[in-house]
C-alpha cells in the first residue's frame, strides 16, 4: 500500500503485542516531529499504560485525524518512542492480511500480528550476522596477493564442494584468523562472493541423495500446468487440483513453480506441518538449485527460524516452503507470483488458538491481495473447496484421475472386524485380524514394507470395573473424558500409568474399582497395544528393530519423525505403525500393504464432518501403497463394514462421496452450503459458564444481524469440561459469509467477545469437540 507523500502522516495505529481487549484495531499514537519517517509495517516502540512502559508493536495504519475516530482528544495522544531499523518492516500485504484476519476471525489485532511473526524474529534471537562466502567465478587479475589472503583462497578451494559456500566464521576458524577482516577484504577485492545460502537450506539440499531428473509430464499433468499457467498474468485466480493419491500433483506444482521463478517472481508453497519432511523438502530443493529457498517449520531452532525469515524477506525470485504460518512470510508486495496449498483439506491448516485462522483461507486472501494465482491440491478436497469449484464456480477445477506412470491403484479391502475376531481360536483380543496378518506375512516374505494405522495414541483407552451393575470407569479429575493407559520405557522397567489426552494429567493405574473393589479391566485401542501385538506376530522383525511406532508419544520432535522416515526409506524399518502422522504425503515405492486397525475412530466422532474425516483417512492411507509395480493392498478393519464413507473410499469414489455428503449438508444448513461460527464459553464453575452462555445468547439474538442467521441455543460442548473449565457452545449459522460477518461485527462492536479468556470465537471451525 503506497501512502500519499504530500500528506503528513500525523498519527499511527499500532498493534502492540499484548492482548488489549478494548482496542481491537490497535492503539493510536502521534508520530512526533524529528522521528525517522515511518511506513506501514514498521516495528516501533510505544509507551503503554499509566507507567508508559515501552512495548514493541507494528504500525498497521498511518494517517491524519481520521485515525482518532473522534473517540480520543488529540491532545491526550501519546507519541511513538522509536522505530526499530534492524527488523525489516512487514510487507504492506501482510499488514492488510493481519487486519483481515483480525476482523474475519474476531481476534484483537495485537494478538494477530504477534502470532504472525516468529518469536525469534520479534525478539531478535540469533539475529544472523554470519555470511557464507565462496570463490568468485571470475577471479580479479591482481599481481600479488598477501600470503595470508592467498592461504584463505586456497583453503576455500579445498573445502568439500557439498559444504560450500562456507560460513565466514567457519572459514575464519579453519584459517586460524583472529578476525573476519581478511575475509571481508577478499570480498571487497572481488576474490570472494557473499552467497545468501543459509545452513538450514544447505542441510535440506544435502538430504536429496539421488535427486534424479524431472519426469516427463503425462498429457493430463501437462494440460493442468498449461491451463493454470495461462492465467498467470491475469491477476488473481483460484484453482483446485483434484488428483488421486500418487497422481503426480507435486510434479504439477513444481512445473508451475519453475515458470513463476523464471519470470522473476517468488513462490509460496504451503504444506501440512507433518508432510514437511526432508523427503518432500529435498525434492523441491533439488529441483531449484539456483534459487534461494526459505524453509519454515516447527523443527527449526529459534535462530534458524530467524535466519529463514530473513531469506524470505530478501528481494528476488525465491521459493518459500512451510506449514500454516508460512502464509505470513515476508515476501515483498510486488513479488509474489504463485501460492500453492498442498493437501488443502488438512485440518492442521487451522490454528486452534486465537487468531483461529485457516491457513488455506488466508492464502486465498493473500493471493487476492497479491493479484496472483493460488493452486490448492488434494486427493480428498475439503467439502468447502469442492463446493467452491463445482457449485459456486469460484475456483477452477482441474483433474488428475489416474496415478502417475509406474504406479498402480491399490486394492482396498474392507474387513468386518466382528467376523475376523471369531476366526482366531484363542480367547485373546486381537487388534490385527487374520486377513491383515496374512497380508503382512506375504508382504514381508516378498521383502516388501508395510504401513499400519491406528488413529489413537497410548495403550488402551478404557479402564473400567468388570461389574456392569457398578459401571465405574476411570475419568480424568479435570476433564469430562476417560483416562488412557500408557506404557513408558522408564529406565529398565516398563512403567504403566494413565494420562488424560486433553489436559495431560497423569495418574497411576488403579488395581481395584474404587466403588466395589473388584479388579479393574483394561480394554480398548491404542498404538502401543498394536505395537505389542505386532512384536508378538513378527518376532524376527521386532528383534532387529525393524518395526517402528510413530505417534505424538514417540516423536516429540520433528527431527525424530524425519529420521524414522529416512530409515524407512532406506529399508531399515520394514513396518511403520502410527497415527495419522503416517497417513498422508509419504511416497515410498516399496510399501505393498497398508493396514487400518480401526476405521471407526473417526466415524463415531460427534462432529458433522465424521464421514468426511473417515473418507479422507481411509483414502489417504490406502494411497501410501501401490507406488511401484507391486500391486498394493489396503486392508481396512471396521465394525461398520457397510458405512458409506468407508465403502466410497474403497471404490476410490471421491466424486460420488462428495455429491452425497454435500447434499446432506445442504439439507441441514451446514457448511459448505452455510457458514458456521462456534462460540465457546469457558468457566471453572459450570453454572457460571451456563449463565454467561445464556446471557451471550440473548445479547446476540438482540443484534441487528441476528434475524439473518440461525443462533442456536447454548449447549454443553461434546467434551463438557477440559482442564477444570466447563464449556458451553453457541453455534451461529448463516447462508452467506457476508451475513455471518455482519452479525459478528455487530457482536464485536458491542464488545460481546472482549474477554478472550472466557469466550473463544471460532469462525469456520474444523473440529467441534
Ligand atoms: P501426489 O502428490 O499426487 O500424491 P506425487 O507427485 O508424489 O503424487 O507423485 C507420485 C510419484 O509419481 C512420485 O514418485 C513421482 O516422482 C512420480 N511421478 C509423478 N509424475 C510422474 C510422471 N509424469 N512420470 C513418471 N513419474 C511421475
Ligand atoms: Zn484431563
Ligand atoms: Zn466397580
Amino acid at each position: 500500500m503506497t501512502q500519499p507523500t504530500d500528506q503528513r502522516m500525523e498519527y499511527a495505529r499500532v498493534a502492540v503485542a499484548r492482548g488489549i481487549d478494548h482496542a481491537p484495531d490497535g492503539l493510536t499514537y502521534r508520530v512526533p516531529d524529528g522521528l525517522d519517517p515511518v511506513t506501514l509495517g514498521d516495528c516501533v516502540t510505544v509507551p503503554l499504560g499509566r507507567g508508559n512502559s515501552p512495548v514493541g508493536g507494528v504500525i498497521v495504519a498511518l494517517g491524519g485525524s481520521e485515525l482518532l475516530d473522534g473517540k480520543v482528544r488529540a491532545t491526550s495522544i501519546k507519541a511513538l518512542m522509536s522505530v526499530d531499523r534492524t527488523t525489516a518492516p512487514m510487507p504492506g500485504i501482510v499488514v492488510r492480511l493481519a487486519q483481515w484476519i483480525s476482523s474475519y476471525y474476531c481476534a484483537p489485532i495485537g494478538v494477530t500480528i504477534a502470532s504472525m511473526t516468529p518469536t525469534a524474529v520479534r525478539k531478535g534471537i540469533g539475529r544472523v550476522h554470519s555470511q557464507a562466502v565462496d570463490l568468485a567465478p571470475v577471479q580479479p587479475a591482481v599481481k600479488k596477493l598477501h600470503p595470508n589472503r592467498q592461504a584463505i583462497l586456497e583453503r576455500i578451494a579445498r573445502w568439500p564442494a557439498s559444504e560450500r559456500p562456507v560460513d565466514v566464521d567457519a572459514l575464519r576458524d579453519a584459517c586460524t584468523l583472529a578476525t573476519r577482516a581478511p575475509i571481508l577484504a577478499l570480498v571487497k577485492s572481488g576474490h570472494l562472493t557473499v552467497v545468501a545460502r543459509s545452513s538450514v537450506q544447505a542441510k535440506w539440499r544435502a538430504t536429496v541423495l539421488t535427486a534424479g531428473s524431472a519426469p516427463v509430464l503425462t498429457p493430463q499433468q501437462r494440460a493442468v500446468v498449461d491451463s493454470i499457467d495461462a492465467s498467470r498474468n491475469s491477476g488473481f485466480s483460484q484453482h483446485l487440483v483434484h488428483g488421486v493419491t500418487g497422481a503426480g500433483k507435486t510434479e504439477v506444482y513444481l512445473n508451475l513453480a519453475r515458470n513463476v521463478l523464471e519470470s522473476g517472481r517468488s513462490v509460496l508453497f504451503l504444506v501440512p506441518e507433518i508432510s514437511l519432511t526432508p523427503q518432500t523438502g529435498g525434492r523441491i530443493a533439488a529441483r531449484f538449485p539456483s534459487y534461494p529457498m526459505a524453509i519454515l517449520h516447527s523443527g527449526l531452532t529459534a535462530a534458524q527460524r530467524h535466519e529463514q525469515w530473513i531469506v524470505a524477506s530478501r528481494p528476488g525470485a525465491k521459493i518459500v516452503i512451510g506449514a500454516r504460518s508460512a502464509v505470513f512470510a515476508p515476501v515483498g508486495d510486488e513479488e509474489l507470483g504463485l501460492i500453492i496449498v498442498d493437501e488443502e483439506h488438512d485440518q492442521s491448516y487451522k490454528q486452534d488458538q486465537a487468531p483461529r485462522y485457516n491457513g488455506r483461507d488466508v492464502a486465498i486472501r493473500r493471493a487476492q491481495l497479491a493479484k496472483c494465482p493460488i493452486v490448492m491440491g488434494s486427493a480428498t478436497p475439503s467439502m468447502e473447496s469442492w463446493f467452491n469449484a463445482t457449485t459456486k464456480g469460484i475456483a477452477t477445477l482441474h483433474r488428475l484421475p489416474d496415478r502417475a506412470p509406474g504406479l498402480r491403484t491399490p486394492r482396498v479391502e474392507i474387513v468386518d472386524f466382528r467376523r475376523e475376531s471369531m476366526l482366531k481360536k484363542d480367547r485373546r483380543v486381537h487388534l490385527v485380524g487374520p486377513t491383515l496378518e496374512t497380508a503382512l506375512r506375504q508382504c514381508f516374505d516378498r521383502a516388501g514394507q508395510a504401513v499400519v494405522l491406528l488413529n489413537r495414541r497410548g495403550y488402551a483407552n478404557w479402564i473400567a470395573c468388570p461389574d456392569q451393575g457398578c459401571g465405574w470407569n476411570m475419568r480424568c479429575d479435570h476433564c469430562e473424558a476417560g483416562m488412557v493407559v500408557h506404557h513408558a520405557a522408564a529406565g529398565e522397567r516398563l512403567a504403566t500409568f494413565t494420562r488424560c489426552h486433553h489436559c495431560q494429567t497423569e495418574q497411576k493405574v488403579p488395581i481395584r474399582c474404587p466403588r466395589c473393589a473388584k479388579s479393574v479391566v483394561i480394554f480398548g485401542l491404542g498404538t502401543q497395544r498394536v505395537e505389542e501385538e505386532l512384536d508378538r506376530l513378527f518376532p524376527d522383525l521386532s528383534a532387529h528393530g525393524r518395526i517402528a511406532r510413530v505417534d505424538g508419544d514417540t516423536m516429540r520432535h520433528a527431527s525424530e519423525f524425519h529420521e524414522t522416515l529416512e530409515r524407512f526409506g532406506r529399508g531399515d524399518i520394514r513396518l511403520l505403525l502410527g497415527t495419522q502422522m503416517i497417513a498422508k504425503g509419504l511416497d515410498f515405492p516399496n510399501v505393498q500393504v497398508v493396514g487400518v486397525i480401526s476405521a471407526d475412530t473417526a466415524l463415531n466422532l460427534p462432529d458433522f464432518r465424521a464421514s468426511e474425516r473417515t473418507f479422507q483417512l481411509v483414502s489417504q492411507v490406502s494411497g501410501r501403497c501401490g507406488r511401484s509395480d507391486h500391486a498394493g493392498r489396503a486392508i481396512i478393519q471396521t465394525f461398520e463394514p457397510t458405512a458409506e464413507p468407508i465403502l466410497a473410499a474403497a471404490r476410490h469414489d471421491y466424486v460420488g462421496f462428495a455429491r452425497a455428503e454435500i447434499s446432506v449438508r445442504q439439507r441441514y444448513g451446514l457448511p459448505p452450503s452455510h457458514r458456521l461460527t462456534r462460540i465457546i464459553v469457558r468457566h471453572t464453575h459450570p453454572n457460571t459458564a451456563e449463565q454467561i452462555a445464556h446471557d451471550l445468547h440473548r445479547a446476540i439474538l438482540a443484534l441487528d444481524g441476528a434475524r439473518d442467521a440461525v443462533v442456536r441455543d447454548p449447549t454443553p460442548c461434546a467434551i463438557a469440561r477440559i482442564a477444570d473449565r466447563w464449556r458451553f457452545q453457541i453455534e451461529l449459522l448463516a447462508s452467506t459469509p457476508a451475513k455471518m460477518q455482519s452479525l459478528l461485527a455487530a457482536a464485536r462492536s458491542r464488545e460481546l467477545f472482549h474477554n478472550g479468556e472466557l469466550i473463544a470465537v471460532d469462525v469456520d471451525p474444523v473440529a467441534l469437540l
Side-chain angles (χ1 to χ4, degrees), residues 464-467 469-472 512-518:
C465 177
D467 182 345
C470 166
W472 176 85
R512 303 196 165 278
C513 171
R515 282 195 205 147
C516 70
K518 294 198 176 68

Side-chain angles (χ1 to χ4, degrees), residues 566-589:
E566 260 168 60
R567 285 172 51 216
F568 191 62
R570 284 200 303 270
D572 293 352
I573 295 172
R574 300 282 299 284
L575 197 171
L576 203 58
L577 152 74
T579 52
Q580 87 280 352
M581 290 175 89
I582 57 168
K584 51 203 167 192
L586 306 187
D587 182 32
F588 295 104

Side-chain angles (χ1 to χ4, degrees), residues 254-325:
L254 292 178
N255 276 270
L256 289 167
R258 167 178 306 285
N259 297 344
V260 170
L261 290 169
E262 283 173 358
S263 76
R265 301 179 81 187
S266 295
V267 178
L268 184 55
F269 195 147
L270 300 182
V271 297
E273 174 73 48
I274 218 69
S275 16
L276 197 48
T277 62
Q279 199 201 15
T280 48
R283 190 168 157 195
I284 298 164
R287 207 55 80 72
F288 307 113
S290 51
Y291 291 96
M293 170 166 167
I295 302 155
L296 301 160
H297 68 98
S298 67
L300 301 180
T301 64
Q304 287 172 332
R305 212 173 282 217
H306 193 175
E307 182 187 36
Q308 294 303 298
W309 201 253
I310 291 171
V311 173
S313 70
R314 289 204 189 103
K318 65 190 142 312
I319 182 157
V320 179
I321 167 166
R324 182 176 65 224
S325 63

